[in-house]
Amino acid sequence: MSTLTKPNHIGRKISRIRELRDMKQEALAQALGTNQQAISILENSETIDEDKLIAIAKALGVTAEAIKNFSEEGVINYFNTFNESGNNTFGDYNSCTFNPLDKLIETVEENKKLYERLLQAEKDKIEYLEKLLKEK
């Protein structure tokens, strides 16, 4: 008896795409107007009729063909191409262009200056009120 999964188990593909989209079964169920138990049954089904597959694909934000052709290896290969080749689709947008610690220090310094200005304003108010009291 083989423990290998069947390569075209549509329910498992739906489950995996849903997980990659960070979607819970309840959210998919709500989008399809059904309940979580129905989604669980659906994800354990080897085949799904075309109309239902199209509705599921729409709820997941993919095409029915994407579900049919989905493979873990394909996803891994897709993302590995960004690290292996120097010319990825995203260019250098996925790299940080500033040091987060520098930004944090800058923010702390700005907050300190703001605090000092507010403190000085309060001291000026107290001084003004004390002056008014002495005049009386």
Side-chain angles (χ1 to χ4, degrees):
M1 180 176 202
S2 174
T3 58
L4 294 174
T5 58
K6 295 191 177 188
N8 206 22
H9 193 287
I10 297 295
R12 285 194 191 105
K13 290 180 178 188
I14 291 169
S15 173
R16 193 63 186 120
I17 292 169
R18 177 184 56 75
E19 290 167 355
L20 289 169
R21 307 272 303 164
D22 198 27
M23 181 184 276
K24 302 250 184 240
Q25 283 184 339
E26 292 84 6
L28 182 56
Q30 187 176 13
L32 295 172
T34 187
N35 58 33
Q36 182 270 327
Q37 292 83 4
I39 298 301
S40 180
I41 291 168
L42 183 133
E43 290 181 352
N44 286 309
S45 301
E46 191 172 328
T47 60
I48 297 171
D49 70 76
E50 191 68 21
D51 291 337
K52 188 175 274 190
L53 185 62
I54 291 169
I56 293 165
K58 184 176 180 185
L60 289 172
V62 298
T63 64
E65 287 302 312
I67 294 174
K68 291 176 187 176
N69 297 325
F70 176 81
S71 75
E72 291 284 332
E73 296 81 22
V75 171
I76 292 167
N77 290 338
Y78 177 77
F79 284 107
N80 281 343
T81 59
F82 294 121
N83 293 328
E84 292 170 357
S85 66
N87 56 12
N88 61 44
T89 306
F90 301 114
D92 290 328
Y93 299 117
N94 61 351
S95 61
C96 196
T97 58
F98 61 90
N99 184 339
L101 290 176
D102 288 343
K103 280 291 187 188
L104 179 64
I105 291 169
E106 182 180 312
T107 302
V108 168
E109 289 172 355
E110 288 173 4
N111 286 339
K112 183 180 176 186
K113 289 176 185 176
L114 175 62
Y115 174 77
E116 288 171 352
R117 286 195 313 262
L118 290 171
L119 185 61
Q120 186 59 48
E122 290 301 315
K123 286 179 181 178
D124 292 345
K125 284 181 193 175
I126 291 170
E127 185 181 314
Y128 176 72
L129 290 172
E130 286 175 345
K131 180 182 171 186
L132 286 177
L133 281 173
K134 286 181 183 177
E135 289 177 0
K136 284 190 171 186

